[in-house]
Amino acid sequence: MSAGTFLRAILQVAAQVTFARVLGPDHFGVFLLASLAVSLSALFADIGMSYALIQKKEITACDIRLSFTWHVMVASVVATLLATLAPYLADWFNDPRVGPVLAVLATTLLINAAGIPAMNLLRRDLNFKAIQLALISSYFVGYIVVGIPALMLGAGIWAPVLAWLTQAGINTTLLYIQKPHAIRPLLLIDDNYEFLRYSATFLATNLTNWTLMNIDRVLLGRLAGTTEVGLYATPYNLLNNPTLQILNTTQSILFAASSRLQENLPDMRRAYLAVLAAVALLVAPVFAGISAAAPTLIEVIYGPVWAPAAEVMRALALAMPIYLVWALSTPILWNTGQKTREYRLQMPLIPVWGVAVWFAAQTSIVVLAYALIFMQCVRAFSTTYPAAKALGLRLRDYANVLGDGIFISLAVALVVWGADFALHELALPVFMIMILDVVAAAVTWLVLLRMMGRRVHPEFNRLVLHTTSKLPAWVSRILTTTLFPQLPR
C-alpha cells in the first residue's frame, strides 16, 4: 500500500502539474469546477452498501448482488440527473464552459459504481496489493498514456476529461478481474433494512464531509470566478491528492483491521496510535517543508503566472496533517458502535464554515486558505475526542504520539525557510534553490529522526519493525541503518 501510494502520488502530481501549466488558471479552473460537481454527485451515487461488506462478520452471495445492484442503479439515476442539470450548474458558476464538461464526466459515476463492490471485497480480504495495482495501472494509462498526449495534440480542456474516463473504465475492469462476483440484479434480501440503514449513515457522513471539504471552492467559484478558483484549487489539489493517497492507505487498512478488532480495544488502540505516530513523524515534516518553501515550489512547478498561489499553498500545506489526524479517528468511531457520531458532530459546523468562507472569499483567497487551518483543527477535535474516549486515551497519550513529530516538523520548516531565503539572496536559479531546499529538509528530518529514534512512541517502532520484516533483507537493512537504528536487526 505504501509503495503504491507513493507511486500514484508521483503520477498524480505529474499529470496535474502538466494540465495546469498548459491550460492555465482560467481553463483549468473550468475543469476543477466541473470535477467539484462530479465529486458531490459521486456521494449520492456511492450509497455505501458495499462498505457494509467489509464490516459484516459473514457475507453471502445475495449480499454482494444486492450491493452491486443498488450501486449501479442509483449511480445511473444520479449520472442522468447530473448530465441533465449540467447547463443549470454552469449558469450557477457563471461560466457556460462548465456545462459540456460536466455532462461528459457524469458517465464516470456509473463506471466507478460498478467497481465499488469488488474493491470493498478486496479490502475485506486485506488484499490491498490488488487494489493498488488496479489504481496505478489505470491512472498511468488514463493520464500518462492518454491524457497528456491528448493535451499536447491540442485537446485542451478535454484532455483531463478523456484521462478521467479512461482511468475509471480500466480501474473498474481490473478490480472485477481481481475479484469477480455475481452481478445478477437483486433488490431485496432478508436483512435489507440493515443494509439501508448503513447506507443512510454512510451517505449522511459523506455529504457532511464533502460539504466541509469543498464548500470553500464552491462558494469561491460563485463569488470570484474561474481564475480565482484555479489559483486556490490548483495548489489545493496538488497537496490534497497525495494527502488522499496517504489517507486511503492508512484509513483503509485501519478500517479493515479495526473491523476485525471490534471486540479487542487494546489492539485497536495500538493500531490507531501506531498510524497516528507514523503521520506525525513521516508525513507532517514533508508538509512543513512545503509550506516554508511554497513560493519557490509554485514558481518551479507551475511557472511565474501562478505566483499569486504561493501564499495559498503555504497555508494549505499546514492544514493537510491536521486533516489526516481527523480522518484517522473515523474508522475508530465506525468500529466502536458510533457510526452516526461522525456526521452528527460535524453537521453543525457546516453553516458556521459556510459563513466564514463567504466573508473570507470576498477578502482574498489567502485569507480563505488560512481560515481552513482553523476549520481543520475544529473538525479534528470534534471526532478525535469521542474516538479517544472509546479507546480510553488521554491528552498525554496524544502528546506522546504527536510531540516528536511536531518538533521535527517545526525544525524542518525553520531550516527550509532560512535556506530558501538565503539562496534567493544569492540569486541562484530557482530550480537549483528548490533542489537545495529539498536537501536541507531531508538532512534535517533524517538527523532528527535518528537522534530521537529511541524516544519515539513504541507503537511506531513496532509498526516499522513489522513492516520492514516483510521487505527484502537488503531493503530492510538499508532502512534500519539509515532511518531507524533503534530497531533490532
Side-chain angles (χ1 to χ4, degrees):
M1 281 288 282
S2 299
T5 297
F6 179 74
L7 183 55
R8 272 196 297 141
I10 292 176
L11 292 175
Q12 283 188 332
V13 169
Q16 294 296 328
V17 167
T18 303
F19 290 139
R21 287 185 71 99
V22 175
L23 295 174
D26 181 46
H27 287 86
F28 197 55
V30 173
F31 173 76
L32 293 175
L33 287 176
S35 65
L36 276 177
V38 172
S39 66
L40 173 59
S41 303
L43 301 182
F44 293 96
D46 182 8
I47 55 175
M49 274 195 175
S50 65
Y51 287 85
L53 300 178
I54 302 176
Q55 205 171 36
K56 285 188 69 175
K57 293 183 177 181
E58 300 291 338
I59 60 173
T60 66
C62 289
D63 293 332
I64 299 171
R65 289 173 54 202
L66 179 79
S67 173
F68 179 81
T69 302
W70 278 89
H71 272 284
V72 171
M73 184 173 62
V74 173
S76 301
V77 173
V78 174
T80 302
L81 286 174
L82 181 60
T84 303
L85 297 175
Y88 302 99
L89 292 171
D91 290 340
W92 196 88
F93 284 124
N94 297 316
D95 196 319
R97 295 174 297 174
V98 174
V101 175
L102 189 54
V104 174
L105 286 177
T107 58
T108 62
L109 299 176
L110 177 58
I111 297 171
N112 287 330
I116 290 174
M119 176 181 287
N120 284 319
L121 287 171
L122 289 169
R123 286 175 175 167
R124 178 183 178 86
D125 297 339
L126 299 179
N127 188 358
F128 296 103
K129 180 179 179 180
I131 296 174
Q132 287 294 326
L133 288 174
L135 289 171
I136 293 169
S137 302
S138 62
Y139 200 90
F140 180 81
V141 175
Y143 285 84
I144 307 302
V145 176
V146 176
I148 292 179
L151 182 69
M152 299 307 175
L153 292 173
I157 197 173
W158 294 104
V161 174
L162 180 61
W164 193 340
L165 288 168
T166 304
Q167 185 273 331
I170 294 175
N171 183 58
T172 293
T173 302
L174 292 177
L175 289 172
Y176 185 79
I177 291 173
Q178 292 286 342
K179 193 69 177 181
H181 57 79
I183 59 174
R184 188 156 52 93
L186 180 64
L187 292 176
L188 297 173
I189 59 174
D190 291 339
D191 59 346
N192 203 63
Y193 173 75
E194 183 63 29
F195 268 93
L196 292 177
R197 188 173 65 173
Y198 191 98
S199 298
T201 302
F202 183 86
L203 178 60
T205 302
N206 277 356
L207 285 174
T208 302
N209 290 334
W210 186 95
T211 304
L212 289 171
M213 285 295 296
N214 295 283
I215 195 173
D216 50 352
R217 286 163 287 165
V218 171
L219 291 180
L220 188 63
R222 175 68 174 176
L223 296 171
T226 55
T227 299
E228 292 292 294
V229 171
L231 291 172
Y232 180 87
T234 299
Y236 184 99
N237 288 346
L238 179 69
L239 298 169
N240 196 49
N241 283 338
T243 301
L244 289 177
Q245 299 307 321
I246 296 169
L247 176 60
N248 288 336
T249 298
T250 54
Q251 197 177 51
S252 295
I253 294 175
L254 192 58
F255 184 85
S258 56
S259 293
R260 299 188 175 193
L261 299 171
Q262 294 180 43
E263 299 175 0
N264 189 346
L265 288 183
D267 278 353
M268 192 186 299
R269 179 167 54 245
R270 284 193 288 270
Y272 173 67
L273 292 176
V275 177
L276 200 61
V279 168
L281 290 167
L282 305 180
V283 179
V286 175
F287 286 110
I290 290 173
S291 177
T296 300
L297 292 173
I298 286 291
E299 185 174 354
V300 171
I301 295 174
Y302 294 115
V305 70
W306 289 85
E311 285 302 315
V312 174
M313 174 181 268
R314 192 188 299 280
L316 294 177
L318 298 177
M320 294 302 151
I322 305 170
Y323 171 58
L324 286 172
V325 171
W326 160 79
L328 293 179
S329 64
T330 60
I332 305 302
L333 293 179
W334 280 70
N335 287 294
T336 54
Q338 304 180 79
K339 295 182 181 67
T340 62
R341 293 203 68 177
E342 183 180 351
Y343 78 85
R344 288 183 177 178
L345 290 169
Q346 294 187 100
M347 198 172 287
L349 299 177
I350 293 177
V352 177
W353 180 226
V355 173
V357 168
W358 185 270
F359 285 104
Q362 296 183 75
T363 305
S364 75
I365 55 176
V366 175
V367 172
L368 178 59
Y370 277 99
L372 183 64
I373 299 176
F374 178 75
M375 184 60 195
Q376 292 292 13
C377 290
V378 175
R379 289 187 73 195
F381 178 80
S382 70
T383 56
T384 299
Y385 179 73
K389 286 188 65 176
L391 294 178
L393 297 173
R394 299 182 180 181
L395 182 60
R396 65 171 178 266
D397 296 311
Y398 283 90
N400 292 335
V401 171
L402 301 176
D404 292 333
I406 293 174
F407 175 79
I408 293 176
S409 298
L410 290 173
V412 167
L414 182 61
V415 169
V416 171
W417 180 84
D420 189 75
F421 179 81
L423 293 169
H424 275 285
E425 289 295 309
L426 295 174
L428 295 177
V430 67
F431 184 78
M432 184 178 295
I433 293 176
M434 187 189 74
I435 296 298
L436 294 175
D437 284 344
V438 172
V439 171
V443 170
T444 304
W445 173 75
L446 178 60
V447 170
L448 291 176
L449 188 63
R450 285 180 61 90
M451 288 176 57
M452 304 174 69
R454 295 190 179 280
R455 51 166 292 175
V456 299
H457 200 277
E459 296 303 335
F460 173 75
N461 285 334
R462 186 176 291 111
L463 174 65
V464 173
L465 183 62
H466 181 75
T467 303
T468 54
S469 68
K470 303 294 184 181
L471 301 173
W474 65 273
V475 177
S476 177
R477 188 161 50 250
I478 291 174
L479 289 176
T480 54
T481 301
T482 56
L483 298 179
F484 311 109
Q486 75 273 15
L487 298 178
R489 292 176 175 76

